[in-house]
Amino acid sequence: MILLRRLLGDVLRERRREQGRTLREVSSAARVSLGYLSEVERGQKEASSELLGSICEALDVPMSELLREVSDNLALAEAVSTVEQLEQLEPFAPAAPMQVTNLAA
């Protein structure tokens, strides 16, 4: 199962790292505990919309942009999951050999 909170945490962590910032810096700017922000980034806690807004503001990232990236990652993960499920299916084999008859005769 694909967890939205994990995808969201991955994007938040990537954005923070791109900026060269520490968890401590972002947690202070967002006014959220360092431990809680860490759990959000690791996909262990669900962030409320208010908390997510504070984190986005601290990262100077529009929430719509963050959610768009999460949505794109979710679509990709769903596609990969579908392909993996299809690969696990047994190939189709007809129950009996097919017979070819000459209809022109």
Side-chain angles (χ1 to χ4, degrees):
M1 175 185 282
I2 302 164
L3 296 177
L4 184 59
R5 69 175 186 255
R6 182 163 288 152
L7 294 172
L8 181 64
D10 289 344
V11 173
L12 286 171
R13 183 184 316 106
E14 181 62 27
R15 289 302 183 103
R16 178 180 58 78
R17 288 180 175 171
E18 285 173 357
Q19 295 177 9
R21 297 174 68 189
T22 65
L23 272 171
R24 186 172 309 281
E25 291 169 341
V26 175
S27 69
S28 177
R31 296 184 192 98
V32 61
S33 75
L34 184 132
Y36 197 81
L37 179 57
S38 176
E39 289 178 314
V40 168
E41 281 193 1
R42 288 181 281 136
Q44 295 176 337
K45 294 285 184 186
E46 296 275 353
S48 68
S49 57
E50 292 85 2
L51 178 65
L52 190 55
S54 293
I55 296 169
C56 285
E57 189 174 309
L59 291 170
D60 196 29
V61 174
M63 192 183 304
S64 60
E65 187 177 311
L66 178 83
L67 294 176
R68 191 174 309 111
E69 188 172 343
V70 171
S71 176
D72 291 346
N73 291 349
L74 178 59
L76 182 60
E78 288 173 336
V80 168
S81 177
T82 300
V83 168
E84 288 173 351
Q85 289 174 5
L86 290 173
E87 288 175 345
Q88 292 176 2
L89 295 176
E90 291 185 29
F92 173 76
M98 295 179 68
Q99 299 283 330
V100 177
T101 56
N102 186 350
L103 297 176

